[in-house]
Amino acid sequence: MDEPVIGPESEVPLEELLDLYGAVGWTAYTGHPEVLRKAIEGSSYVVTARMGDRLVGLARAVSDDATVCYLQDVLVHPEAQREGTGRKLVEAVLERYRSVRQKVLLTDDEKAQRAFYEALGYKEIRDFGEGTLRAFVRFD
Ligand SMILES: CC(C)(COP(=O)(O)OP(=O)(O)OC[C@H]1O[C@@H](n2cnc3c(N)ncnc32)[C@H](O)[C@@H]1OP(=O)(O)O)[C@@H](O)C(=O)NCCC(=O)NCCS
């Protein structure tokens, strides 16, 4: 099969976003299309994977381009998973923010996601050991 084309994209049509986010079951986004649109527009960097015209993956970052880069959303259409696309999307974000030391992300506690992010050089807070780092999050 052909490889998807990976690259930055600043304006992704909302219909395509809804299809992709829907395909991985992210209803928190698809139930609020306006929030999804604003989230993409307000992101610091958006990278997509396309097979021809078809959107098959996306990763986005929120960053000050100096001290911190939050990776927020990495998703690959189920029909295109386990072919290295997720890795390439995250690598594109990491390359864009290579001068930023602190790279952070929050994700579900699932084995597959741990394996995915560890394969990309991320380490879970709990693995830094006692007395080193603590992570806090608040959902309102
Ligand atoms: C997580 C996700 C983005 C991975 O995308 P992908 O294109 O399938 O990942 P890749 O093929 O680039 O995988 C890279 C490496 O991550 C690890 N990995 C990825 N998916 C995995 C899985 N389901 N189980 C175990 N390891 C996995 C492997 O080490 C893999 O390398 P390998 O295939 O050579 O063994 C994709 O499964 C997805 O979109 N899931 C739904 C949305 C989601 O949960 N996103 C992450 C939270 S933000």
Side-chain angles (χ1 to χ4, degrees):
M1 216 212 277
D2 287 344
E3 298 242 324
V5 174
I6 312 277
E9 211 175 319
S10 51
E11 288 177 28
V12 185
L14 183 58
E15 281 307 310
E16 286 192 298
L17 293 169
L18 290 169
D19 282 351
L20 180 62
Y21 278 69
V24 297
W26 282 359
T27 49
Y29 283 111
T30 55
H32 302 89
E34 262 317 287
V35 174
L36 177 57
R37 188 187 59 75
K38 276 178 81 174
I40 300 297
E41 282 179 10
S43 294
S44 314
Y45 194 57
V46 179
V47 187
T48 61
R50 285 188 179 276
M51 292 283 234
D53 282 348
R54 185 172 174 228
L55 183 70
V56 294
L58 180 145
R60 65 189 183 95
V62 178
S63 175
D64 60 8
D65 212 0
T67 63
V68 67
C69 169
Y70 290 92
L71 187 63
Q72 178 71 9
D73 299 353
V74 182
L75 59 163
V76 173
H77 194 286
E79 288 167 14
Q81 289 178 5
R82 291 313 288 269
E83 290 170 7
T85 301
R87 173 190 286 277
K88 286 181 196 146
L89 287 166
V90 176
E91 283 173 350
V93 172
L94 294 175
E95 174 58 21
R96 164 68 183 80
Y97 292 103
R98 62 187 176 283
S99 64
V100 174
R101 179 167 171 261
Q102 187 174 311
K103 314 273 199 329
V104 188
L105 71 92
L106 188 68
T107 191
D108 296 325
D109 183 12
E110 285 169 16
K111 252 174 113 178
Q113 295 187 0
R114 181 176 163 112
F116 176 66
Y117 287 112
E118 285 186 343
L120 282 151
Y122 285 83
K123 189 168 167 181
E124 274 203 66
I125 287 276
R126 67 181 79 153
D127 295 335
F128 279 89
E130 192 69 19
T132 48
L133 289 170
R134 214 180 273 281
F136 294 91
V137 64
R138 175 175 150 163
F139 292 106
D140 291 322

